[in-house]
C-alpha cells in the first residue's frame, strides 16, 4: 500500500498515531483536510495542501507534515522517499531524522529539556510536546465546539491536560507506581510541579535520564489509554497499564544499548532497582 492511499486522519502514516486522536475532530477544520481524505488528497501539484501555519494550536502538526517529502505515486507502488536531511532523501521513513529537522529551533526553551533529550523516542516526545503546549484534544478544548468530554478513566466532568497528567486518580496511581521510588517519593499529581521536577532536579545522572524516559513513556501511554477507552477499543487496570509501560521503558533502554554512550549500560540495572 502506498502512503498516498492511506487515510489522512486515521492511518498512522506519520508514525505519531492517528492524527484524529491528536487534534480531535476540529483538526479537519483547521487543516482544511476532510475527515475521509486520503494522504494524496492533502497534496496538490507536488505541494502539501494544508492550512494551519498561523494557528498556534496546530502549528507543530502543520510543521511536522510540511517536513514530510510529498508522497507521489510516480515513486512506485510501495516506494516513498522521506526527507532525512537537506537534499538527502531515502526510501525508508526515519521519524527521528524527520524530527531532527523541526526540533532544533526549540532547544532554548526552558521545558525543552523534558521533551528533547538524546535518549528520547520520537513518537513519545511528539505527544509530550503537544501536552506541554496544552494542545492535545482534551475535553476543555472541545467544549467550544459543543462537544462534552469528561474523563474516561474516572468520570471527572472537566477533562483537561492537567487532569490527565496526573491529577486523575487512575493516571496518578500509574505514574506514582512507576516514578515514586525513582523520584524519592516526590511524584506529584500537579502538572507544573511534575514538569518542573523532570526539567530540573537533584537526581544522579542515570536517574535524570530514567525519570525523563519514564515521564515520556507514561505520557504517551496514558494518552493512548485515554484514546482507546474513548473509542471503546480497550480498558486497562492500573496493574496492566503499569506492566505495559514498564515493558515499553525496558524496550526503550534495550534499544539504546546499540548506541555509543557507555553510561547507558547502567540504565537497565537501575530501572530494576527502582521499579
Ligand atoms: Zn480522570
Amino acid at each position: 500500500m502506498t502512503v498516498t492511499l492511506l487515510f489522512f486522519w486515521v492511518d498512522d502514516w506519520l508514525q505519531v498515531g492517528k492524527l484524529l486522536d491528536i487534534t480531535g475532530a476540529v483538526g479537519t477544520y483547521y487543516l482544511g483536510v476532510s475527515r475521509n481524505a486520503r494522504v494524496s488528497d492533502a497534496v496538490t501539484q507536488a505541494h502539501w495542501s494544508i492550512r494551519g501555519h498561523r494557528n498556534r494550536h496546530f502549528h507543530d502538526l502543520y510543521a511536522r507534515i510540511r517536513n514530510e517529502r510529498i508522497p507521489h505515486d510516480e515513486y512506485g507502488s510501495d516506494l516513498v522517499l522521506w526527507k532525512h536531511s537537506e537534499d538527502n532523501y531515502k526510501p525508508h521513513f526515519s521519524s527521528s531524522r524527520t524530527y531532527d529537522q523541526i526540533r532544533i529551533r526549540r532547544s532554548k526553551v526552558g521545558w525543552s529539556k523534558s521533551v528533547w533529550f538524546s535518549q528520547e523516542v520520537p513518537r513519545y516526545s511528539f505527544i509530550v510536546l503537544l501536552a506541554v503546549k496544552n494542545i492535545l484534544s482534551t475535553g476543555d478544548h472541545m467544549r467550544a465546539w459543543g462537544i462534552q468530554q469528561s474523563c474516561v478513566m474516572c468520570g471527572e466532568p472537566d477533562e483537561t491536560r492537567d487532569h490527565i497528567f496526573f491529577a486523575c486518580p487512575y493516571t496518578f496511581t500509574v505514574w506514582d507506581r512507576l516514578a515514586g521510588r525513582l523520584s524519592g517519593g516526590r511524584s506529584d499529581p500537579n502538572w507544573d510541579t511534575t514538569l518542573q521536577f523532570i526539567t530540573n532536579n537533584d537526581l544522579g545522572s542515570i536517574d535524570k535520564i530514567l525519570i525523563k524516559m519514564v515521564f515520556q513513556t507514561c505520557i504517551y501511554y496514558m494518552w493512548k489509554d485515554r484514546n482507546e477507552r474513548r473509542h471503546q477499543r480497550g480498558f486497562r487496570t492500573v496493574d496492566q497499564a503499569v506492566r505495559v509501560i514498564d515493558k515499553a521503558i525496558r524496550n526503550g533502554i534495550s534499544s539504546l544499548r546499540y548506541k555509543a554512550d557507555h553510561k547507558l549500560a547502567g540504565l537497565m540495572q537501575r530501572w530494576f532497582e527502582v521499579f
Side-chain angles (χ1 to χ4, degrees), residues 151-156 163-164 167-171:
C151 177
V152 283
M153 321 211 223
C154 75
E156 156 67 43
H163 176 77
I164 298 176
C168 178
Y170 171 78
T171 59

Side-chain angles (χ1 to χ4, degrees), residues 12-83:
D12 190 14
W13 61 279
L14 262 186
Q15 302 202 344
V16 296
K18 293 180 185 186
L19 296 186
L20 197 63
D21 284 341
I22 293 170
T23 67
V26 296
T28 62
Y29 169 78
Y30 276 113
L31 263 60
V33 177
S34 73
R35 172 71 174 74
N36 296 317
R38 308 273 184 168
V39 173
S40 59
D41 296 331
V43 176
T44 46
Q45 306 203 343
H47 291 287
W48 285 109
S49 171
I50 54 172
R51 299 193 302 232
H53 65 293
R54 289 214 179 82
N55 184 284
R56 69 188 169 87
H57 285 315
F58 294 98
H59 187 272
D60 291 297
L61 182 60
Y62 176 85
R64 167 89 198 223
I65 293 169
R66 288 296 298 259
N67 252 293
E68 296 298 331
R69 170 93 169 180
I70 306 292
H72 198 296
D73 284 335
E74 275 176 22
Y75 295 132
S77 61
D78 52 8
L79 177 64
V80 171
L81 297 178
W82 300 97
K83 187 175 179 180

Side-chain angles (χ1 to χ4, degrees), residues 57-193:
H57 285 315
F58 294 98
H59 187 272
D60 291 297
L61 182 60
Y62 176 85
R64 167 89 198 223
I65 293 169
R66 288 296 298 259
N67 252 293
E68 296 298 331
R69 170 93 169 180
I70 306 292
H72 198 296
D73 284 335
E74 275 176 22
Y75 295 132
S77 61
D78 52 8
L79 177 64
V80 171
L81 297 178
W82 300 97
K83 187 175 179 180
H84 279 231
S85 59
E86 210 53 52
D87 297 325
N88 177 18
Y89 293 92
K90 290 186 178 166
H92 64 277
F93 178 89
S94 161
S95 56
S96 61
R97 286 293 172 77
T98 304
Y99 228 61
D100 281 343
Q101 296 172 61
I102 59 170
R103 55 182 274 204
I104 294 149
R105 330 172 234 147
R106 309 188 181 287
S107 56
K108 293 200 176 76
V109 187
W111 46 257
S112 69
K113 280 201 283 179
S114 54
V115 181
W116 312 123
F117 64 109
S118 56
Q119 294 79 29
E120 75 194 30
V121 177
R123 76 174 183 283
Y124 298 168
S125 51
F126 187 65
I127 299 299
V128 174
L129 172 66
L130 299 180
V132 166
K133 302 194 103 185
N134 196 6
I135 54 178
L136 289 168
S137 60
T138 48
D140 50 333
H141 296 317
M142 299 295 106
R143 210 178 301 128
W145 302 85
I147 298 164
Q148 281 299 327
Q149 173 68 51
S150 51
C151 177
V152 283
M153 321 211 223
C154 75
E156 156 67 43
D158 195 20
E159 191 206 46
T160 60
R161 183 271 314 269
D162 291 25
H163 176 77
I164 298 176
F165 313 115
F166 298 101
C168 178
Y170 171 78
T171 59
F172 180 69
T173 310
V174 173
W175 169 239
D176 186 53
R177 288 262 301 269
L178 291 157
R181 281 185 66 193
L182 179 60
S183 67
R186 284 174 287 177
S187 50
D188 194 291
N190 180 277
W191 169 262
D192 292 324
T193 309

Side-chain angles (χ1 to χ4, degrees), residues 201-213:
N201 57 59
D202 55 2
L203 299 178
S205 60
I206 292 280
D207 289 7
K208 268 189 171 57
I209 296 171
L210 260 186
I211 193 79
K212 285 180 190 177
M213 293 181 86

